[in-house]
Amino acid sequence: MGFIAMVLSFLFGIFFTVIGVVRRKQNMFYKLLIVLGVALLVVAVYLARPQ
């Protein structure tokens, strides 16, 4: 379960960050996507570290 959550968090984080960076000048919503994407990447890194 943790592995699946880590992979999904990593993939969604990359997706949201890329979409936010590409369209960041259009709307404030896309800047929030960048923040959400980076947060998901941080969660994925936290889940990936050895326990």
Side-chain angles (χ1 to χ4, degrees):
M1 179 67 184
F3 179 75
I4 294 171
M6 177 194 65
V7 171
L8 286 177
S9 175
F10 183 72
L11 292 175
F12 280 126
I14 290 175
F15 178 73
F16 289 155
T17 304
V18 168
I19 294 297
V21 168
V22 169
R23 299 178 182 232
R24 70 183 173 270
K25 294 187 180 180
Q26 290 182 0
N27 198 347
M28 181 66 178
F29 173 72
Y30 294 111
K31 292 178 184 175
L32 293 175
L33 276 181
I34 295 171
V35 173
L36 178 63
V38 170
L40 285 173
L41 288 172
V42 168
V43 168
V45 168
Y46 175 76
L47 291 173
R49 66 181 182 86
Q51 301 298 328

